[in-house]
Amino acid sequence: MSDDYNKPTFKKLLNKLQEESWQLELLISGFAIFGLFSAYPNLEIAYQHTQNENNTFFSMVLVVALSACSILIFNLLFHVLLRGLWIGALGLRYISGDIDYDTLNYSKRFNTYLKNKVGSFDRYIARLENYCSVIFAISFLLIFYMLAIALTIGSIVFVITIFIDDHSFSDISTYFGMILLVFLITGMLLTFIDFITLGFLKKKRWISKIYFPIYWCFSFITLSFLYRPLVYNFLDHKFGKRLSFFLVPIYMILIWITSLYYNQSNYFNFIEPSGNYIANTFSYEDMLTENSDFIQNIAINGKVITDPYIKVFILFDEGIEDDIYLFNPKLNPEEDTRGITSEMSSINSGVVSEALKQDYITTFNSLYTVEIDSTLYRTDFILGASLKKQKGFETYIGIKNLSEGKHVLQVKRKSKKASDTIKKTAATIPFWYYPN
């Protein structure tokens, strides 16, 4: 079975499939575009969740997924557009045949120029066919490139986490981790240089001997053994090689274009955080849209308060816990278990005592204070969740004695600078109080 590709019947089948591949291309492109447009908003929401929870690992995974979706959407839409143009050209050829420049009755200068530059209609159709096939194939190749980048970075993070940052291991494992880290970083740089130079390191005899072991190792790390034939098939073709040079600038321009927006004011950009003169929607729970918006730092329950109380919610992140360890060192555990874990392994893990949990919350309450119009209010933060199920700390403050109208709430946070303890304003949120 492994030698079937050498048989004439198999080559004949490939030639037939090659001629009819445009139908499969359009079918796959259509389904893929529909699926990608459906998946993209959900991936964005998931990415915002991981960002708010400071989940670096899953954030990186979702960045790769979002990048892959964006690349595929752009490439496949472009492919469908060119395929449509190709089908239209075929239909026009059936009606009018090739271009008859003599019938156009242009001057000799233009006639000669158009014959040289435009050429025959069949050549135009052949070029469109080449563009469509190459763009379709390279779309999926780019996904593997994204995966290769993610796996390489993931390998570096894995080595740092397991061998270097984990102090429970011996010094020998740390030294081994350092050697492995140097190898990975050096290999990554050499592989990237070889990639952007289209195989320069493979061409020089003495360099290739040094580079070969690195190339062999990274073929497994990046999974390039799965798509390597496709890469070399591109590089041995003039058009594929030219296209490879233009890919990176094209995508950089696209990223820049997507970052553009229209600024209406010289003084405000309308995406600034809330302050004395700005009310950003992310600071108010009742103004967050159902799917896409999340609390980014600190929020209250609404912009217009009608109840005799106000809710203050502070989003949890690892930086808060690090500050708690700084101000209360006895809470700093011997082993840091934060990060990716399994529910199965956490079943048998040690249980934190209620006294330590209470000490944790007490320390948190000593770090954060809430003021309304420069008046300090008593707070009692406890662990909770927002309406969007974001984890954090929440408290409720009675405001029935406030006058009607605009007020400014400030959340202040203690922090250590050298040997001094200073208070910083963590959030400034305006609101309006009109009781029922």
Side-chain angles (χ1 to χ4, degrees):
M1 293 294 291
S2 60
D3 295 329
D4 283 352
Y5 68 91
N6 287 320
K7 294 181 179 179
T9 52
F10 185 75
K11 292 186 180 294
K12 186 177 180 181
L13 175 63
L14 285 181
N15 289 331
K16 183 180 179 182
L17 291 173
Q18 187 175 293
E19 291 174 2
E20 298 176 355
S21 64
W22 65 272
Q23 301 173 38
L24 292 174
E25 288 178 15
L26 283 176
L27 187 66
I28 293 171
S29 293
F31 279 110
I33 290 168
F34 175 78
L36 291 167
F37 272 113
S38 301
Y40 196 87
N42 295 319
L43 288 173
E44 277 192 316
I45 293 169
Y47 175 69
Q48 289 177 10
H49 264 300
T50 57
Q51 283 288 94
N52 290 324
E53 294 177 0
N54 290 319
N55 191 328
T56 307
F57 175 78
F58 287 109
S59 292
M60 187 176 71
V61 172
L62 288 167
V63 164
V64 173
L66 285 167
S67 302
C69 274
S70 301
I71 290 170
L72 276 178
I73 288 172
F74 172 77
N75 281 15
L76 293 179
L77 283 174
F78 189 47
H79 167 260
V80 170
L81 179 67
L82 286 183
R83 271 296 173 196
L85 186 61
W86 177 76
I87 293 170
L90 285 176
L92 186 60
R93 182 183 184 279
Y94 175 75
I95 295 172
S96 62
D98 207 343
I99 303 172
D100 188 353
Y101 292 100
D102 295 331
T103 306
L104 296 174
N105 200 26
Y106 290 157
S107 66
K108 184 179 179 181
R109 183 185 183 89
F110 272 98
N111 203 28
T112 304
Y113 177 82
L114 291 174
K115 282 183 178 180
N116 291 330
K117 292 296 181 181
V118 178
S120 69
F121 198 60
D122 288 353
R123 189 179 74 168
Y124 172 71
I125 293 173
R127 282 182 175 177
L128 282 178
E129 167 67 23
N130 290 337
Y131 291 155
C132 293
S133 297
V134 169
I135 289 170
F136 183 79
I138 210 167
S139 299
F140 295 95
L141 181 60
L142 287 170
I143 305 307
F144 281 106
Y145 285 159
M146 293 294 303
L147 184 61
I149 293 169
L151 289 172
T152 304
I153 295 172
S155 300
I156 293 171
V157 173
F158 177 80
V159 169
I160 293 172
T161 305
I162 299 299
F163 294 101
I164 299 174
D165 282 351
D166 196 337
H167 301 292
S168 62
F169 282 67
S170 64
D171 290 337
I172 296 174
S173 66
T174 303
Y175 294 140
F176 175 74
M178 293 296 293
I179 294 169
L180 199 57
L181 184 63
V182 171
F183 172 77
L184 286 173
I185 293 174
T186 305
M188 179 183 67
L189 293 174
L190 289 176
T191 303
F192 179 71
I193 291 169
D194 187 62
F195 171 74
I196 61 173
T197 57
L198 304 180
F200 174 79
L201 300 182
K202 301 187 189 79
K203 296 174 182 177
K204 303 298 180 181
R205 181 175 296 180
W206 64 274
I207 297 178
S208 65
K209 289 181 180 180
I210 300 171
Y211 177 61
F212 181 77
I214 296 172
Y215 171 80
W216 185 83
C217 290
F218 271 78
S219 68
F220 291 97
I221 294 173
T222 62
L223 302 180
S224 65
F225 60 90
L226 295 174
Y227 54 89
R228 193 180 293 146
L230 198 60
V231 175
Y232 293 132
N233 210 339
F234 269 114
L235 296 181
D236 72 354
H237 190 266
K238 188 183 291 185
F239 175 70
K241 190 177 289 188
R242 284 204 307 266
L243 186 62
S244 299
F245 278 117
F246 286 107
L247 279 178
V248 174
I250 287 171
Y251 287 118
M252 292 297 291
I253 291 169
L254 285 174
I255 292 170
W256 176 74
I257 289 173
T258 56
S259 69
L260 298 176
Y261 73 99
Y262 184 77
N263 189 21
Q264 297 172 294
S265 171
N266 287 315
Y267 295 92
F268 302 100
N269 61 16
F270 299 98
I271 56 174
E272 298 173 64
S274 294
N276 289 322
Y277 311 106
I278 301 169
N280 192 303
T281 55
F282 295 107
S283 299
Y284 308 98
E285 273 196 287
D286 62 357
M287 295 187 68
L288 300 177
T289 58
E290 185 176 349
N291 293 321
S292 59
D293 291 340
F294 295 91
I295 295 170
Q296 295 182 344
N297 184 18
I298 298 173
I300 60 177
N301 50 317
K303 185 184 289 186
V304 179
I305 306 296
T306 58
D307 297 314
Y309 60 85
I310 190 169
K311 174 188 174 184
V312 181
F313 182 85
I314 299 175
L315 189 67
F316 182 88
D317 64 50
E318 290 185 5
I320 291 176
E321 192 155 290
D322 290 337
D323 278 352
I324 289 174
Y325 297 157
L326 191 62
F327 282 89
N328 192 345
K330 72 176 185 179
L331 288 172
N332 196 354
E334 293 182 3
E335 182 182 357
D336 195 340
T337 58
R338 293 178 294 183
I340 301 170
T341 187
S342 167
E343 291 182 0
M344 295 177 66
S345 62
S346 63
I347 292 173
N348 299 320
S349 62
V351 178
V352 179
S353 67
E354 290 298 319
L356 285 174
K357 289 180 181 179
Q358 183 178 350
D359 200 9
Y360 185 103
I361 295 297
T362 302
T363 306
F364 178 86
N365 276 285
S366 69
L367 298 182
Y368 284 86
T369 55
V370 177
E371 297 178 4
I372 300 178
D373 301 332
S374 300
T375 301
L376 182 65
Y377 279 72
R378 184 178 177 276
T379 57
D380 187 13
F381 283 97
I382 63 170
L383 197 66
S386 69
L387 297 176
K388 293 291 192 72
K389 310 298 182 185
Q390 292 176 267
K391 303 176 188 71
F393 301 89
E394 61 181 36
T395 190
Y396 291 82
I397 300 170
I399 55 171
K400 64 180 180 180
N401 294 324
L402 283 181
S403 60
E404 291 186 352
K406 179 190 172 186
H407 300 275
V408 177
L409 179 144
Q410 284 189 319
V411 178
K412 295 189 175 179
R413 174 180 179 174
K414 284 183 183 177
S415 66
K416 282 193 175 182
K417 190 174 183 181
S419 58
D420 298 329
T421 299
I422 59 173
K423 267 195 173 183
K424 292 182 177 179
T425 301
T428 301
I429 306 173
F431 69 93
W432 284 258
Y433 178 52
Y434 292 103
N436 290 326

